[in-house]
């Protein structure tokens, strides 16, 4: 498989989708709801999400034909082909629709190429708010704006990156306990919080604001993010030598049968 060529295609697709999102950033965008997880953030969708997906698919669909790839995209029904082909594109046309609606930073474009066994081989993320491109190829490295990306942690505290403030998060006492353990193990001064972004850009913020972490506990309720929320950043984390795992430290189930949701295992992104 020509991962270098496919990564360039994914980069072009993500940048083009980012431009489409940028054009709509100052506009009033009608909000619709869809059947998804338990949280409001997972249920909202806009015409911008769908327009970004159309732009991305115009780049990716020809590669599906040429390389025998399957496709999984948030705004398109899962046809199950990801269990039959050796690799599939995993696309979130606009992660963080809620911050986009609120006209706040925290939304992004995410494209990954994932093996049938759930291994991410390509990860591409574009932050339209800052015109920043992040990408990685398994075994070859990671880049920020096409420059090799080496992570440097400079803070003396642990940054907790989250979609909503800790005080508004279920099981907050357990999270505080976990964070305190990380602080003590690493000899840090305390915890500071960055909240409000979608899962994709939050993972990037973990790398940009180290030492840092992002976590979701396993739970029974449907939700907890989907495959497309974590596939690209899992590839980037691996490329820079940082763990992106389920909450218990095992590999993320990035090709789960029966559902795309990750609530069954939770997630843990660490940069310490």
């Amino acid at each position: 498989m020509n991962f270098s060529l496919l990564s360039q295609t994914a980069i072009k697709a993500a940048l083009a989708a980012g431009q489409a999102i940028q054009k709509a950033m100052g506009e009033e965008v009608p909000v619709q709801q869809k059947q998804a997880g338990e949280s409001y953030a997972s249920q909202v969708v806009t015409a911008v999400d769908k327009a970004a997906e159309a732009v991305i698919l115009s780049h990716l669909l020809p590669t599906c034909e040429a390389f025998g790839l399957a496709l999984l995209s948030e705004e398109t029904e899962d046809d199950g082909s990801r269990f039959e082909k050796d690799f599939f594109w995993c696309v979130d046309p606009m992660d963080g629709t809620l911050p986009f609606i609120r006209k706040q930073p925290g939304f992004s474009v995410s494209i990954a190429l994932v093996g049938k066994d759930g291994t991410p081989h390509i990860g591409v993320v574009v932050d339209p708010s800052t015109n920043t491109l992040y990408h990685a190829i398994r075994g070859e490295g990671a880049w920020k704006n096409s420059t090799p990306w080496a992570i440097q942690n400079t803070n003396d505290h642990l940054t907790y990156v989250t979609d909503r403030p800790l005080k508004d998060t279920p099981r907050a006492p357990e999270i505080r306990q976990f964070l305190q353990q990380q602080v003590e193990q690493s000899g840090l001064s305390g915890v500071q919080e960055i909240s409000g972004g979608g899962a994709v850009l939050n993972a990037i913020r973990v790398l940009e604001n180290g030492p840092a972490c992002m976590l979701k506990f396993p739970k029974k309720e449907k939700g907890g993010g989907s495959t497309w929320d974590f596939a690209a950043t899992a590839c980037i984390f691996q490329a820079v030598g940082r763990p992106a795992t389920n909450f218990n430290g095992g590999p993320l189930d990035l090709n789960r049968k029966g559902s795309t949701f990750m609530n069954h295992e939770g997630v843990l992104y660490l940069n310490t």
Side-chain angles (χ1 to χ4, degrees):
M1 190 62 64
N2 191 334
F3 294 121
S4 179
L5 174 62
L6 291 172
S7 71
Q8 290 304 311
T9 301
I11 288 169
K12 290 177 183 177
L15 289 172
Q19 290 175 351
I21 294 169
Q22 284 176 332
K23 291 178 181 177
M25 282 168 55
E27 301 174 0
E28 291 299 323
V29 179
V31 180
Q32 303 169 352
Q33 283 190 264
K34 60 182 179 180
Q35 290 187 339
E38 301 293 328
S39 69
Y40 177 66
S42 70
Q43 298 168 1
V44 293
V45 64
T46 71
V48 181
D49 295 74
K50 297 176 181 179
E53 183 181 66
V55 169
I56 291 169
L57 296 189
S58 71
H59 288 80
L60 299 189
L61 287 178
T63 69
C64 293
E65 181 71 23
F67 292 90
L69 308 176
L71 175 73
L72 176 68
S73 185
E74 181 174 11
E75 308 306 335
T76 298
E77 185 176 356
D78 181 6
D79 64 3
S81 61
R82 58 194 172 100
F83 305 118
E84 301 167 1
K85 307 287 188 177
D86 289 336
F87 298 92
F88 66 96
W89 288 117
C90 187
V91 178
D92 195 340
M94 184 167 65
D95 179 67
T97 301
L98 207 53
F100 173 79
I101 293 168
R102 294 170 175 168
K103 302 188 184 306
Q104 299 170 344
F107 51 91
S108 60
V109 180
S110 177
I111 301 174
L113 185 72
V114 182
K116 188 177 6 181
D117 65 354
T119 301
H121 291 267
I122 294 171
V124 177
V125 173
V126 168
D127 178 356
S129 296
T130 61
N131 282 318
T132 308
L133 164 69
Y134 307 86
H135 81 280
I137 303 175
R138 180 178 173 82
E140 297 187 23
W143 296 264
K144 178 180 177 180
N145 289 332
S146 302
T147 299
W149 193 20
I151 304 304
Q152 296 182 332
N153 294 341
T154 57
N155 295 328
D156 65 356
H157 60 267
L158 178 71
T159 305
Y160 170 56
V161 186
T162 175
D163 53 351
R164 52 182 162 174
L166 180 56
K167 63 182 179 63
D168 300 327
T169 301
R171 302 173 67 176
E174 294 173 74
I175 296 175
R176 288 192 183 94
Q177 183 179 22
F178 176 86
L179 296 175
Q180 187 58 37
Q181 289 173 349
Q182 297 298 312
V183 165
E184 293 173 358
Q185 289 172 8
S186 302
L188 299 170
S189 63
V191 177
Q192 294 188 22
E193 180 180 291
I194 297 176
S195 64
V200 173
L201 208 55
N202 278 351
I204 296 296
R205 287 169 170 173
V206 170
L207 295 178
E208 298 272 30
N209 295 275
C213 72
M214 175 180 84
L215 64 93
K216 289 183 181 292
F217 286 123
K219 63 178 185 177
K220 294 181 180 179
E221 299 83 9
K222 186 169 69 172
S226 281
T227 306
W228 46 72
D229 293 311
F230 305 110
T233 54
C235 182
I236 294 171
F237 265 64
Q238 180 187 58
V240 299
R242 300 296 192 275
T245 68
N246 65 33
F247 188 75
N248 294 316
L252 286 170
D253 188 359
L254 293 176
N255 198 19
R256 181 186 181 189
K257 292 186 177 179
S259 175
T260 63
F261 287 114
M262 308 292 283
N263 53 281
H264 65 300
E265 62 178 13
V267 297
L268 179 60
Y269 279 59
L270 284 173
N271 173 23
T272 55

